[in-house]
Amino acid sequence: MRKLASCLALAVWLAHTPAWAADLPSSLASATATMQGAYTFLHENPELGKKEFKAHDYLLDALKGLGFTQFVTSAKAPTAVIAVLDSGQAGPVIALRAEMDARPLEVGAVEPASHAPRSHIDGLMHNCGHDIHASILLGTAAVLIANKDRISGKIVFLFQPAEETPGGADDIVHEKILDDLGVQAIFAEHVAPGLPIGTVAIAPGYTLAGSNYFHLRIKGKGSHAAAPNEGTDTPLVAARMAIELSDYPARHLEIANRPVVISVTRLLADGNAGNVLPADAELSGTIRSFENIFKSENATPSLKERLDQLVARMATEAAVDTEWTVRPGAPPTRNDVALFDRAVTPLGQAWPGMLDTHPGRGMFSEDFSYYTEALPALYFSIGVSKDGRGLASVHTGEFDAHPDVFAQGLRLMTSLAVIGTTGRMDWR
Ligand SMILES: [Zn+2]
Ligand SMILES: [Zn+2]
């Protein structure tokens, strides 16, 4: 049975809680119920980016029910729910962010029948844990509004749409919503399959890659398949380009110090018959890196310029025309070093032996990066694995998390709120 056991979750929370939180009032129990209710609703009602209408209404109503009265709307991302908690005490303004959107499953796939709660919509599922993050943030809001006399400054609870699709964090940043609220630092967490429950991982500096997307259209000369010498054999040219692009980082960059992954995700050449070599082909894919691929460093060509040259050279050799475009996606995610230095000691006290400050990096990207470009930010990974649960990767139908993650997430986010607004890991 996959059930959020509220009593168990609370017991786990308290068992791992340092002295500073031992006198936390009974609001924890109601926060656990709040998280349980939100998670069930959000998981059963997955919605795609910018269409999180049910999630918007649920979260807004829940926050109002908790006593929140100050909300900010986003014109570009209207399903966002942004609530402000003013402690009434002078102090910093910080933001805690969670995502709201779900994802489409592979065509014809549904969430496994053993999952409970389970998606009510075939083909759609919360398989990146955003329902978990949003539920934990709501639970955090419940705890903090009940204890606002113990914190300083203001806390902005940012429920952000469309992490999986364009225009979530970047809309919020471009609208200057956080600037207008005077936010000085922002924090977020993401579930990490395979990381044991109770572990929190964070490293200073670049922690997730930036993403860029390319599209290459090849225009050559078609021919009978029996006479490739009479045309450009465009499918073969496309295949060679796919290999050269994919091979490029490991063979042309100092890869140990300059990690780059280029993956061709779509390769299309259709002669529409077994004996026709088509004139045209297309390929597209992604470039992941911790650098800005459009920017040249130390008077050397940028990665984009180097790839431009590669494509042009191969096109000339193959006597084909090309249209080659590269567009930027999310920038790399960077944890602010000074903020990390300030937070790591008190967090180490709250997570004795379980705070991993040297986690492995991945070439995944995340739109939290837009905030990290705009203001000091920290992005945490939180373990979801226990008793054989929480091992399946995000973005798969099998993804799940051990229910203890809610108590751990609540502990992390409340800790960050206290550290962020008071600079200490104790209630005032
Ligand atoms: Zn995702
Ligand atoms: Zn995600």
Side-chain angles (χ1 to χ4, degrees):
M1 272 292 276
R2 290 176 21 129
K3 234 179 174 178
L4 230 186
S6 55
C7 293
L8 176 64
L10 182 59
V12 168
W13 200 94
L14 291 170
H16 293 88
T17 297
W20 63 268
D23 67 337
L24 266 184
S26 58
S27 56
L28 272 178
S30 65
T32 304
T34 298
M35 291 192 291
Q36 181 175 358
Y39 175 63
T40 301
F41 179 84
L42 296 173
H43 194 84
E44 288 180 347
N45 295 279
E47 298 167 297
L48 294 175
K50 297 237 169 145
K51 293 178 179 160
E52 305 95 337
F53 305 114
K54 289 182 181 174
H56 169 274
D57 292 352
Y58 183 96
L59 293 165
L60 189 60
D61 286 350
L63 288 162
K64 286 179 177 171
L66 291 170
F68 280 83
T69 55
Q70 188 182 346
F71 296 94
V72 178
T73 55
S74 164
K76 290 183 168 180
T79 50
V81 178
I82 305 167
V84 182
L85 175 62
D86 187 346
S87 71
Q89 307 284 334
V93 184
I94 66 157
L96 304 174
R97 172 270 205 175
E99 319 90 314
M100 303 163 72
D101 55 330
R103 295 177 39 81
L105 289 166
E106 304 260 311
V107 176
V110 295
E111 182 168 9
S114 60
H115 284 192
R118 179 173 178 270
S119 170
H120 286 178
I121 303 173
D122 286 351
L124 271 189
M125 178 183 166
H126 265 290
N127 62 359
C128 204
H130 299 175
D131 50 351
I132 297 171
H133 309 157
S135 304
I136 290 171
L137 189 56
L138 188 62
T140 305
V143 169
L144 293 177
I145 197 168
N147 294 277
K148 69 176 180 178
D149 57 326
R150 297 174 176 231
I151 55 174
S152 302
K154 294 181 185 177
I155 298 175
V156 176
F157 295 89
L158 169 54
F159 296 88
Q160 176 218 299
E163 194 286 319
E164 301 283 358
T165 52
D170 39 338
D171 283 346
I172 305 282
V173 168
H174 292 146
E175 274 186 84
K176 300 202 175 300
I177 290 173
L178 300 183
D179 292 350
D180 293 346
L181 288 168
V183 173
Q184 294 159 275
I186 185 168
F187 304 92
E189 62 180 347
H190 203 291
V191 295
L195 195 67
I197 282 279
T199 306
V200 167
I202 185 165
Y206 287 108
T207 189
L208 288 172
S211 60
N212 302 274
Y213 297 91
F214 62 83
H215 183 253
L216 175 62
R217 188 184 298 274
I218 305 169
K219 291 181 173 295
K221 184 178 177 220
S223 70
H224 194 288
N229 55 302
E230 294 179 0
T232 55
D233 197 350
T234 310
L236 190 59
V237 174
R240 285 191 175 127
M241 287 197 172
I243 292 169
E244 288 288 324
L245 285 167
S246 304
D247 277 352
Y248 191 89
R251 288 294 171 270
H252 298 276
L253 303 178
E254 194 201 347
I255 199 70
N257 295 307
R258 198 177 173 187
V260 175
V261 169
I262 300 178
S263 289
V264 174
T265 57
R266 184 166 173 269
L267 184 54
L268 187 66
D270 188 357
N272 213 14
N275 58 359
V276 175
L277 285 170
D280 300 339
E282 284 180 46
L283 54 97
S284 50
T286 185
I287 304 166
R288 303 298 174 101
S289 72
F290 294 97
E291 64 189 86
N292 181 343
I293 69 163
F294 298 90
K295 198 170 151 198
S296 59
E297 298 278 354
N298 304 322
T300 59
S302 68
L303 181 57
K304 159 74 165 50
E305 288 167 335
R306 295 174 68 145
L307 295 176
D308 291 349
Q309 291 165 6
L310 170 71
V311 170
R313 174 179 59 77
M314 293 191 71
T316 302
E317 287 171 6
V320 296
D321 293 326
T322 55
E323 292 171 18
W324 162 250
T325 53
V326 183
R327 68 172 175 84
T333 298
R334 181 181 169 278
N335 285 326
D336 186 80
V337 176
L339 194 58
F340 173 86
D341 287 344
R342 285 221 311 273
V344 74
T345 300
L347 278 178
Q349 292 164 0
W351 264 265
M354 299 297 273
L355 181 66
D356 179 2
T357 54
H358 295 88
R361 291 197 300 187
M363 301 304 285
F364 305 97
S365 71
E366 149 73 52
D367 80 352
F368 187 72
S369 56
Y370 290 102
Y371 305 115
T372 74
E373 279 198 327
L375 72 165
L378 294 179
Y379 183 80
F380 293 82
S381 295
I382 185 162
V384 298
S385 176
K386 183 177 175 182
D387 300 336
R389 301 267 307 266
L391 294 171
S393 179
V394 294
H395 294 197
T396 67
E398 287 69 37
F399 167 77
D400 78 342
H402 191 282
D404 283 359
V405 68
F406 293 92
Q408 296 297 331
L410 183 68
R411 193 155 68 97
L412 176 62
M413 296 310 262
T414 50
S415 299
L416 291 171
V418 174
I419 293 169
T421 59
T422 69
R424 305 190 309 273
M425 188 61 271
D426 56 354
W427 297 98
R428 287 190 305 109

